[in-house]
Amino acid sequence: MRWLLLVLVGLVLLLQYRLWFAEGSLAERQRLQRQVQEAERENARLRARNEALAREVLDLQSGKAVVEQRAREELNLVREGEVFYQFVEEGNTPAPPVEP
């Protein structure tokens, strides 16, 4: 009877080891859950970025107004007959070049 008790205790210890430390343990499960949550957050961020890019592509394909707006804002282009004014703040003006 005593040997049966020792076998059962040994079996319980072996199972406890597998539960806490071996492959498929609770610690590994928590680590994998954290990885899944991080991947889901990254996927959500990338999905939102893709949706914004898709909207931008549709806007650019739909007409010239968006293309013209981007040309004006990003490239500082103007139409023929228009005047371009650029305002520079006082503190941010570059120093004039020094001639030797």
Side-chain angles (χ1 to χ4, degrees):
M1 186 69 173
R2 188 171 181 95
W3 63 272
L4 181 61
L5 183 60
L6 290 174
V7 169
L8 289 176
V9 168
L11 187 58
V12 167
L13 290 176
L14 179 66
L15 291 175
Q16 285 294 314
Y17 172 79
R18 292 203 60 202
L19 178 66
W20 296 104
F21 304 110
E23 183 179 334
S25 66
L26 295 176
E28 183 180 7
R29 181 175 179 250
Q30 288 177 343
R31 181 183 57 81
L32 291 174
Q33 283 179 338
R34 282 193 303 270
Q35 284 181 347
V36 167
Q37 289 172 349
E38 290 172 14
E40 287 174 348
R41 281 193 299 271
E42 180 70 11
N43 285 343
R45 184 186 68 79
L46 291 174
R47 196 173 294 117
R49 179 176 172 250
N50 285 345
E51 290 173 3
L53 290 173
R55 283 192 303 270
E56 187 175 338
V57 166
L58 289 175
D59 285 345
L60 290 172
Q61 289 175 344
S62 65
K64 293 182 180 181
V66 177
V67 174
E68 182 179 336
Q69 176 188 0
R70 291 198 59 180
R72 288 174 180 272
E73 291 174 358
E74 295 177 11
L75 303 174
N76 296 327
L77 298 180
V78 293
R79 281 189 182 159
E80 202 171 308
E82 290 183 338
V83 179
F84 176 73
Y85 293 98
Q86 183 174 7
F87 297 96
V88 180
E89 295 181 20
E90 284 287 323
N92 294 338
T93 57
V98 179
E99 295 188 29

